[in-house]
Amino acid sequence: MNQHPTTDQITSLIQEGEFFKLKELLKKFEPAEVVELIEEEEEREQLIIFRLLPLQLATQVFEYLEIDVQRHFLANLSQDKISDILNEMSPDDRTALLEFLPDDFVKELIQTLSEPERKVTLELLGYPEYSVGRLMTPDYIAIRESWTVQQVLDYIRLHGGQSETISLLYVTDRRGVLIDDISIREVLLADPSKQVSELMDRRFVHLQTMQDQEEAIEVFRKNDRVALPVVNDEGVLFGIVTIDDILDIREEEDTEDIQKLGGSQALDEPYLSIPLLGMVRKRAGWLVILLIGEMFTATAMGYFEEEIAKAVVLALFIPLIISAGGNAGSQATSLIIRAMSLGELSLGEWWRVMRRELATGLMLGGILGVVGLLRILLWSRLYPNEYGEYYWQIGFTVGFSLVGIVLWGSLCGSMLPLLLKRLGADPATSSAPFVATLVDVTGLVIYFSFALLFLSGTLL
């Protein structure tokens, strides 16, 4: 079996000017292999390789390239080459590219499209940024209920090559209104003389053009489809959305949520591509807010300064107490945000969440409280002078404080995302660091309240 040449061999052919030989070699590559090859080369060599690709392969490769490489090619390729590639690209991929380019550049590129492709692209760009209309492609197979199965098969042979997928066929009336969808399996197994109407059950799942993309993700998840039709308010079929586009959107949404959970704004660009100042702007805001929040922790400690001065041993357990509460809150926040993202719970179930976290927080706090108490009792045996004669009272202070702070952290971490969702904000902004900061301040109050309860009259 013949092996493809290595990157060094490709570079050598370019340096030697063996472009005809290189062009013939590149024809044998798969699109993914060419993408990998281009990504390993310098910018000059990238352009040479791309110019040598046949149009169909060049278009497939272009759709897989990173946005920065696409921009580089658009800025350096000839107008004719750009026009040919854009006209060959699928409408949804072309729209995704144009969204990342400056408006003036987009206007110029749109002018290079053929009249039908220009019309499709302008329609797609006219929908709100995060709507289903931005994802849909008009390349699908629409049939009529009066057709026979044989007519459908003939039509697929004639027009199926331009369709994004032929796994599902869409039945429309004369006005273009969607009335049913039929799987290709049903058509292939049916008698050729049967009419489409005999295969219909008039039950189908669809999306709306102005529907939010996150809602579309949920519809795909519930119905296990590879494609779904998109209709307007009148039910007219405008296009379809395929699972590959939904998976891309899901990846973007998950990435954004994960970045927000870390206490940062969503980057909106690859980590290594975002400018340094842009990175600082994305992260500085939350860090400042969290720093101000932690200042309240210092204020709370100042309020209990007299108690700390009387019983310095209490200061030893402050990091342990507040970190336990912050960790419990972070756990609850992450679990609730993910459950909401997957559609496992709704705002109307907040009471169930609260009851569950009350029970969970009490049990988790009890476990940590017992561990904290045992640790103090063990140390008092090993090092009798470590905590003095009131080690039992100190142990109860730490143990009960852990129960209280873990319970409070669990409640804060679970309720805050639901509250933000109710107010119309993004639940992911109730990031784990934010919850941890909130619990730090209140945790000190809980800790010293138990200290006063158990140590009053002894150390305090």
Side-chain angles (χ1 to χ4, degrees):
M1 185 173 63
N2 293 329
Q3 292 185 341
H4 290 313
T6 63
T7 303
D8 291 339
Q9 291 171 321
I10 294 290
T11 305
S12 177
L13 288 173
I14 294 174
Q15 292 172 349
E16 294 169 5
E18 296 285 351
F19 298 130
F20 180 78
K21 184 176 180 180
L22 178 57
K23 184 175 183 178
E24 294 301 311
L25 282 174
L26 291 172
K27 290 179 182 178
K28 302 174 183 178
F29 279 67
E30 293 295 322
E33 294 172 329
V34 180
V35 170
E36 186 177 344
L37 176 63
I38 287 175
E39 290 175 346
E40 292 177 358
E41 293 286 357
E42 298 296 325
E43 288 187 350
R44 174 181 171 274
E45 285 74 19
Q46 287 179 342
L47 278 169
I48 292 173
I49 292 171
F50 192 77
R51 286 192 181 107
L52 294 174
L53 298 175
L55 178 58
Q56 187 175 3
L57 180 58
T59 303
Q60 293 172 324
V61 168
F62 192 84
E63 291 177 352
Y64 287 123
L65 291 171
E66 294 291 333
I67 186 67
D68 289 340
V69 182
Q70 289 181 335
R71 286 173 176 167
H72 172 62
F73 283 177
L74 290 173
N76 291 277
L77 292 171
S78 68
Q79 194 73 11
D80 289 343
K81 185 76 171 180
I82 294 172
S83 178
D84 289 341
I85 290 171
L86 289 176
N87 278 297
E88 282 290 316
M89 288 179 73
S90 61
D92 49 346
D93 286 330
R94 180 169 57 233
T95 303
L97 167 65
L98 296 178
E99 285 179 348
F100 284 96
L101 300 176
D103 291 341
D104 293 341
F105 196 14
V106 170
K107 291 177 183 177
E108 293 179 18
L109 291 178
I110 287 176
Q111 297 306 313
T112 68
L113 299 174
S114 63
E115 189 62 35
E117 297 294 346
R118 187 185 311 159
K119 181 181 178 182
V120 168
T121 300
L122 288 172
E123 285 178 357
L124 289 172
L125 287 173
Y127 294 106
E129 184 177 0
Y130 297 107
S131 68
V132 170
R134 285 296 187 96
L135 296 178
M136 68 183 183
T137 174
D139 298 330
Y140 57 87
I141 296 293
I143 59 177
R144 297 288 176 82
E145 60 180 321
S146 60
W147 291 3
T148 65
V149 169
Q150 186 60 55
Q151 286 177 302
V152 171
L153 294 174
D154 292 340
Y155 185 80
I156 293 173
R157 291 190 188 98
L158 190 61
H159 300 284
Q162 288 78 45
S163 177
E164 186 89 357
T165 177
I166 59 172
S167 60
L168 281 171
L169 312 176
Y170 302 97
V171 187
T172 59
D173 63 15
R174 291 182 179 180
R175 297 184 300 114
V177 174
L178 179 65
I179 55 179
D180 204 359
D181 58 13
I182 300 176
S183 71
I184 188 66
R185 174 187 172 86
E186 290 181 75
V187 174
L188 292 174
L189 297 177
D191 189 304
S193 62
K194 263 190 176 182
Q195 283 193 322
V196 171
S197 58
E198 298 179 63
L199 305 178
M200 294 168 52
D201 58 11
R202 297 185 183 273
R203 294 199 304 267
F204 58 91
V205 182
H206 68 277
L207 302 171
Q208 296 281 339
T209 53
M210 305 302 288
Q211 195 170 355
D212 189 271
Q213 292 176 359
E214 286 193 32
E215 295 177 18
I217 294 172
E218 186 63 19
V219 175
F220 265 89
R221 188 182 71 83
K222 287 182 177 178
N223 293 279
D224 194 24
R225 295 293 187 93
V226 296
L228 282 174
V230 183
V231 302
N232 67 0
D233 292 337
E234 286 75 42
V236 175
L237 180 59
F238 266 42
I240 63 172
V241 173
T242 53
I243 188 65
D244 59 320
D245 296 314
I246 290 296
L247 290 175
D248 289 341
I249 295 298
R250 188 59 195 251
E251 182 181 1
E252 291 174 13
E253 294 290 340
D254 288 346
T255 300
E256 182 178 314
D257 286 347
I258 290 169
Q259 289 169 347
K260 287 181 178 179
L261 278 171
S264 167
Q265 295 182 41
L267 297 184
D268 301 324
E269 293 183 59
Y271 175 82
L272 294 176
S273 299
I274 189 170
L276 181 61
L277 290 178
M279 176 73 79
V280 172
R281 280 197 300 271
K282 294 287 187 181
R283 297 167 65 176
W286 268 111
L287 286 176
V288 170
I289 292 172
L290 295 175
L291 176 63
I292 293 172
E294 290 294 352
M295 289 179 181
F296 287 103
T297 305
T299 303
M301 288 185 68
Y303 182 80
F304 293 105
E305 184 177 1
E306 187 177 340
E307 285 76 11
I308 295 175
K310 290 179 181 178
V312 179
V313 69
L314 293 176
L316 299 176
F317 299 101
I318 289 175
L320 179 149
I321 296 294
I322 61 177
S323 66
N327 292 338
S330 299
Q331 279 186 344
T333 296
S334 302
L335 292 173
I336 294 300
I337 290 176
R338 187 57 179 166
M340 293 171 68
S341 174
L342 295 175
E344 294 175 354
L345 60 89
S346 62
L347 292 178
E349 296 175 294
W350 68 272
W351 178 240
R352 290 183 62 193
V353 175
M354 176 178 280
R355 284 188 302 174
R356 192 175 185 85
E357 287 301 319
L358 272 170
T360 303
L362 279 172
M363 286 189 282
L364 291 174
I367 293 170
L368 297 187
V370 170
V371 172
L373 174 60
L374 290 176
R375 189 269 189 195
I376 291 173
L377 294 180
L378 177 62
W379 245 244
S380 66
R381 295 292 183 185
L382 296 175
Y383 308 99
N385 296 324
E386 183 80 12
Y387 303 125
E389 60 181 308
Y390 301 112
Y391 62 87
W392 271 104
Q393 289 89 333
I394 294 172
F396 282 133
T397 298
V398 171
F400 279 91
S401 296
L402 283 170
V403 174
I405 190 62
V406 170
L407 174 59
W408 174 243
S410 298
L411 287 174
C412 286
S414 60
M415 291 295 105
L416 194 54
L418 293 170
L419 176 62
L420 288 174
K421 183 73 172 179
R422 181 70 182 84
L423 296 174
D426 186 351
T429 55
S430 65
S431 59
F434 182 75
V435 172
T437 304
L438 175 64
V439 175
D440 285 354
V441 180
T442 51
L444 286 173
V445 177
I446 293 172
Y447 178 41
F448 283 102
S449 296
F450 277 112
L452 288 171
L453 176 64
F454 288 107
L455 296 172
S456 183
T458 54
L459 293 177
L460 299 179

